[in-house]
Amino acid sequence: MIELMKLPYSYEALEPVIGRETVETHHAKHHQTYVDNLNKAIEGTEFAEMSIEEIIKNINNAPEDKKNAIRNNGGGVYNHNLYWEELTPGGASEPTGALKEAIDKAFGSFEKFKEEFENAGKTRFGSGWAWLVKDGDEVKVMSTANQDCPLTDGLIPLLGNDVWEHAYYLDYKNARAKYLSEFWKIVNWDKVAERF
Ligand code: MN
């Protein structure tokens, strides 16, 4: 039985970058629905005994008739857990230490990295996620469709931004690019460094 994580801050804590109504709907409705539908999908299967992380790593071994539901809703649960945890009011402005070194090595600079990450979000057609992932000793930027999670393919997700319209439409309407550029103001780089 998977449970909805509690937010580590209040619904209005991420304002003005993400408004109270968006955070509340996103967490209490969207995220909750992924949890509920995942629990229905795993009921009576070996996945019912797994942690959410184990579920994501084992999606490809899921029973065929449940695989899509477990992929979509399991990813929905896990990706949103990562998202809420990596955000904070007044987060640190830049990565430090080994993570900073890996970003500089892969992209040339933090500015270049941000450009590439925003571009991954802008160019994801339809719904999905932009990611900074760890691949072996290196970091790279990628995007996934729907609720697919890099962890299923053996990559470690470090930072993910939700580019489904439900994540930004109330605050930014169709301006996904603006949401992507404002996002940096609430990233908790200490949490991202922990994942690294
Ligand atoms: Mn979402």
Side-chain angles (χ1 to χ4, degrees), residues 30-50:
H30 292 277
H31 198 173
Q32 179 73 62
T33 300
Y34 293 123
V35 170
D36 294 344
N37 287 336
L38 177 63
N39 282 325
K40 281 181 214 154
I42 62 178
E43 198 182 349
T45 74
E46 58 177 342
F47 283 70
E49 311 305 321
M50 294 183 193

mmCIF file of all heavy atoms in Angstrom, residues 30-50:
data_model
loop_
_atom_site.group_PDB
_atom_site.id
_atom_site.type_symbol
_atom_site.label_atom_id
_atom_site.label_comp_id
_atom_site.label_asym_id
_atom_site.label_seq_id
_atom_site.Cartn_x
_atom_site.Cartn_y
_atom_site.Cartn_z
ATOM 1 N N HIS A 30 -4.130 15.629 -8.111
ATOM 2 C CA HIS A 30 -3.373 14.869 -9.115
ATOM 3 C C HIS A 30 -2.500 13.784 -8.476
ATOM 4 O O HIS A 30 -2.570 12.613 -8.846
ATOM 5 C CB HIS A 30 -2.506 15.805 -9.964
ATOM 6 C CG HIS A 30 -3.308 16.692 -10.852
ATOM 7 N ND1 HIS A 30 -3.795 16.282 -12.082
ATOM 8 C CD2 HIS A 30 -3.734 17.974 -10.690
ATOM 9 C CE1 HIS A 30 -4.466 17.280 -12.642
ATOM 10 N NE2 HIS A 30 -4.460 18.315 -11.823
ATOM 11 N N HIS A 31 -1.654 14.201 -7.534
ATOM 12 C CA HIS A 31 -0.738 13.246 -6.903
ATOM 13 C C HIS A 31 -1.537 12.151 -6.178
ATOM 14 O O HIS A 31 -1.225 10.956 -6.282
ATOM 15 C CB HIS A 31 0.188 14.008 -5.938
ATOM 16 C CG HIS A 31 1.432 13.278 -5.538
ATOM 17 N ND1 HIS A 31 2.430 13.879 -4.806
ATOM 18 C CD2 HIS A 31 1.851 12.004 -5.736
ATOM 19 C CE1 HIS A 31 3.403 12.998 -4.581
ATOM 20 N NE2 HIS A 31 3.076 11.852 -5.122
ATOM 21 N N GLN A 32 -2.572 12.560 -5.466
ATOM 22 C CA GLN A 32 -3.422 11.584 -4.753
ATOM 23 C C GLN A 32 -4.042 10.573 -5.726
ATOM 24 O O GLN A 32 -4.139 9.381 -5.413
ATOM 25 C CB GLN A 32 -4.539 12.331 -4.007
ATOM 26 C CG GLN A 32 -5.499 11.401 -3.249
ATOM 27 C CD GLN A 32 -4.867 10.791 -2.005
ATOM 28 O OE1 GLN A 32 -4.498 11.508 -1.089
ATOM 29 N NE2 GLN A 32 -4.731 9.463 -1.974
ATOM 30 N N THR A 33 -4.444 11.029 -6.895
ATOM 31 C CA THR A 33 -5.064 10.128 -7.868
ATOM 32 C C THR A 33 -4.053 9.097 -8.381
ATOM 33 O O THR A 33 -4.391 7.919 -8.575
ATOM 34 C CB THR A 33 -5.653 10.935 -9.044
ATOM 35 O OG1 THR A 33 -6.646 11.824 -8.501
ATOM 36 C CG2 THR A 33 -6.305 10.032 -10.077
ATOM 37 N N TYR A 34 -2.798 9.532 -8.586
ATOM 38 C CA TYR A 34 -1.768 8.559 -8.984
ATOM 39 C C TYR A 34 -1.595 7.506 -7.891
ATOM 40 O O TYR A 34 -1.456 6.310 -8.174
ATOM 41 C CB TYR A 34 -0.427 9.258 -9.249
ATOM 42 C CG TYR A 34 -0.433 10.174 -10.457
ATOM 43 C CD1 TYR A 34 -0.095 11.521 -10.342
ATOM 44 C CD2 TYR A 34 -0.764 9.684 -11.724
ATOM 45 C CE1 TYR A 34 -0.100 12.362 -11.447
ATOM 46 C CE2 TYR A 34 -0.763 10.521 -12.826
ATOM 47 C CZ TYR A 34 -0.433 11.861 -12.689
ATOM 48 O OH TYR A 34 -0.438 12.691 -13.776
ATOM 49 N N VAL A 35 -1.591 7.943 -6.631
ATOM 50 C CA VAL A 35 -1.459 7.008 -5.504
ATOM 51 C C VAL A 35 -2.624 6.009 -5.511
ATOM 52 O O VAL A 35 -2.423 4.791 -5.435
ATOM 53 C CB VAL A 35 -1.411 7.773 -4.157
ATOM 54 C CG1 VAL A 35 -1.534 6.803 -2.982
ATOM 55 C CG2 VAL A 35 -0.122 8.589 -4.038
ATOM 56 N N ASP A 36 -3.837 6.522 -5.615
ATOM 57 C CA ASP A 36 -5.021 5.652 -5.569
ATOM 58 C C ASP A 36 -5.030 4.652 -6.734
ATOM 59 O O ASP A 36 -5.306 3.470 -6.544
ATOM 60 C CB ASP A 36 -6.308 6.500 -5.621
ATOM 61 C CG ASP A 36 -6.475 7.379 -4.377
ATOM 62 O OD1 ASP A 36 -5.785 7.108 -3.367
ATOM 63 O OD2 ASP A 36 -7.275 8.326 -4.427
ATOM 64 N N ASN A 37 -4.710 5.142 -7.922
ATOM 65 C CA ASN A 37 -4.740 4.256 -9.094
ATOM 66 C C ASN A 37 -3.586 3.259 -9.086
ATOM 67 O O ASN A 37 -3.729 2.136 -9.576
ATOM 68 C CB ASN A 37 -4.746 5.082 -10.380
ATOM 69 C CG ASN A 37 -6.098 5.752 -10.599
ATOM 70 O OD1 ASN A 37 -7.117 5.293 -10.091
ATOM 71 N ND2 ASN A 37 -6.113 6.841 -11.336
ATOM 72 N N LEU A 38 -2.442 3.664 -8.518
ATOM 73 C CA LEU A 38 -1.338 2.714 -8.387
ATOM 74 C C LEU A 38 -1.741 1.590 -7.432
ATOM 75 O O LEU A 38 -1.512 0.407 -7.718
ATOM 76 C CB LEU A 38 -0.065 3.409 -7.884
ATOM 77 C CG LEU A 38 1.117 2.456 -7.644
ATOM 78 C CD1 LEU A 38 1.553 1.776 -8.948
ATOM 79 C CD2 LEU A 38 2.297 3.196 -7.015
ATOM 80 N N ASN A 39 -2.350 1.946 -6.309
ATOM 81 C CA ASN A 39 -2.752 0.921 -5.340
ATOM 82 C C ASN A 39 -3.744 -0.059 -5.952
ATOM 83 O O ASN A 39 -3.674 -1.268 -5.701
ATOM 84 C CB ASN A 39 -3.303 1.572 -4.073
ATOM 85 C CG ASN A 39 -2.190 2.084 -3.174
ATOM 86 O OD1 ASN A 39 -1.115 1.481 -3.087
ATOM 87 N ND2 ASN A 39 -2.418 3.210 -2.519
ATOM 88 N N LYS A 40 -4.651 0.447 -6.792
ATOM 89 C CA LYS A 40 -5.583 -0.460 -7.480
ATOM 90 C C LYS A 40 -4.842 -1.390 -8.442
ATOM 91 O O LYS A 40 -5.142 -2.574 -8.536
ATOM 92 C CB LYS A 40 -6.622 0.351 -8.276
ATOM 93 C CG LYS A 40 -7.747 0.909 -7.435
ATOM 94 C CD LYS A 40 -8.742 1.675 -8.319
ATOM 95 C CE LYS A 40 -9.317 2.861 -7.549
ATOM 96 N NZ LYS A 40 -9.772 3.958 -8.424
ATOM 97 N N ALA A 41 -3.849 -0.822 -9.135
ATOM 98 C CA ALA A 41 -3.126 -1.606 -10.155
ATOM 99 C C ALA A 41 -2.253 -2.695 -9.537
ATOM 100 O O ALA A 41 -2.092 -3.774 -10.120
ATOM 101 C CB ALA A 41 -2.275 -0.673 -11.021
ATOM 102 N N ILE A 42 -1.674 -2.425 -8.361
ATOM 103 C CA ILE A 42 -0.742 -3.404 -7.774
ATOM 104 C C ILE A 42 -1.435 -4.403 -6.856
ATOM 105 O O ILE A 42 -0.828 -5.397 -6.454
ATOM 106 C CB ILE A 42 0.424 -2.724 -7.012
ATOM 107 C CG1 ILE A 42 -0.090 -1.886 -5.833
ATOM 108 C CG2 ILE A 42 1.271 -1.894 -7.964
ATOM 109 C CD1 ILE A 42 1.015 -1.217 -5.004
ATOM 110 N N GLU A 43 -2.676 -4.152 -6.537
ATOM 111 C CA GLU A 43 -3.402 -5.040 -5.626
ATOM 112 C C GLU A 43 -3.364 -6.483 -6.134
ATOM 113 O O GLU A 43 -3.640 -6.756 -7.310
ATOM 114 C CB GLU A 43 -4.859 -4.566 -5.528
ATOM 115 C CG GLU A 43 -5.577 -5.108 -4.316
ATOM 116 C CD GLU A 43 -7.045 -4.669 -4.260
ATOM 117 O OE1 GLU A 43 -7.439 -3.777 -5.046
ATOM 118 O OE2 GLU A 43 -7.763 -5.251 -3.444
ATOM 119 N N GLY A 44 -2.955 -7.401 -5.263
ATOM 120 C CA GLY A 44 -2.930 -8.811 -5.645
ATOM 121 C C GLY A 44 -1.742 -9.225 -6.500
ATOM 122 O O GLY A 44 -1.664 -10.361 -6.945
ATOM 123 N N THR A 45 -0.809 -8.315 -6.741
ATOM 124 C CA THR A 45 0.409 -8.672 -7.482
ATOM 125 C C THR A 45 1.605 -8.589 -6.531
ATOM 126 O O THR A 45 1.490 -8.059 -5.421
ATOM 127 C CB THR A 45 0.687 -7.703 -8.659
ATOM 128 O OG1 THR A 45 1.179 -6.451 -8.127
ATOM 129 C CG2 THR A 45 -0.579 -7.436 -9.468
ATOM 130 N N GLU A 46 2.763 -9.084 -6.987
ATOM 131 C CA GLU A 46 3.958 -9.004 -6.136
ATOM 132 C C GLU A 46 4.385 -7.551 -5.910
ATOM 133 O O GLU A 46 5.109 -7.243 -4.968
ATOM 134 C CB GLU A 46 5.106 -9.807 -6.758
ATOM 135 C CG GLU A 46 5.473 -9.337 -8.155
ATOM 136 C CD GLU A 46 6.669 -10.088 -8.750
ATOM 137 O OE1 GLU A 46 7.412 -10.718 -7.980
ATOM 138 O OE2 GLU A 46 6.837 -10.010 -9.971
ATOM 139 N N PHE A 47 3.905 -6.636 -6.765
ATOM 140 C CA PHE A 47 4.245 -5.222 -6.614
ATOM 141 C C PHE A 47 3.613 -4.601 -5.359
ATOM 142 O O PHE A 47 4.064 -3.561 -4.900
ATOM 143 C CB PHE A 47 3.814 -4.436 -7.864
ATOM 144 C CG PHE A 47 4.756 -4.626 -9.029
ATOM 145 C CD1 PHE A 47 4.828 -5.838 -9.685
ATOM 146 C CD2 PHE A 47 5.568 -3.588 -9.458
ATOM 147 C CE1 PHE A 47 5.700 -6.023 -10.749
ATOM 148 C CE2 PHE A 47 6.444 -3.765 -10.518
ATOM 149 C CZ PHE A 47 6.516 -4.985 -11.162
ATOM 150 N N ALA A 48 2.593 -5.245 -4.844
ATOM 151 C CA ALA A 48 1.912 -4.706 -3.657
ATOM 152 C C ALA A 48 2.828 -4.696 -2.441
ATOM 153 O O ALA A 48 2.611 -3.928 -1.504
ATOM 154 C CB ALA A 48 0.654 -5.514 -3.367
ATOM 155 N N GLU A 49 3.879 -5.527 -2.448
ATOM 156 C CA GLU A 49 4.805 -5.613 -1.313
ATOM 157 C C GLU A 49 6.007 -4.693 -1.477
ATOM 158 O O GLU A 49 6.855 -4.613 -0.604
ATOM 159 C CB GLU A 49 5.314 -7.052 -1.139
ATOM 160 C CG GLU A 49 4.229 -8.132 -1.136
ATOM 161 C CD GLU A 49 3.154 -7.873 -0.086
ATOM 162 O OE1 GLU A 49 3.505 -7.432 1.024
ATOM 163 O OE2 GLU A 49 1.968 -8.083 -0.404
ATOM 164 N N MET A 50 6.115 -4.037 -2.627
ATOM 165 C CA MET A 50 7.332 -3.266 -2.926
ATOM 166 C C MET A 50 7.228 -1.817 -2.466
ATOM 167 O O MET A 50 6.141 -1.248 -2.367
ATOM 168 C CB MET A 50 7.595 -3.256 -4.437
ATOM 169 C CG MET A 50 7.941 -4.597 -5.042
ATOM 170 S SD MET A 50 8.296 -4.366 -6.818
ATOM 171 C CE MET A 50 8.271 -6.085 -7.369
#
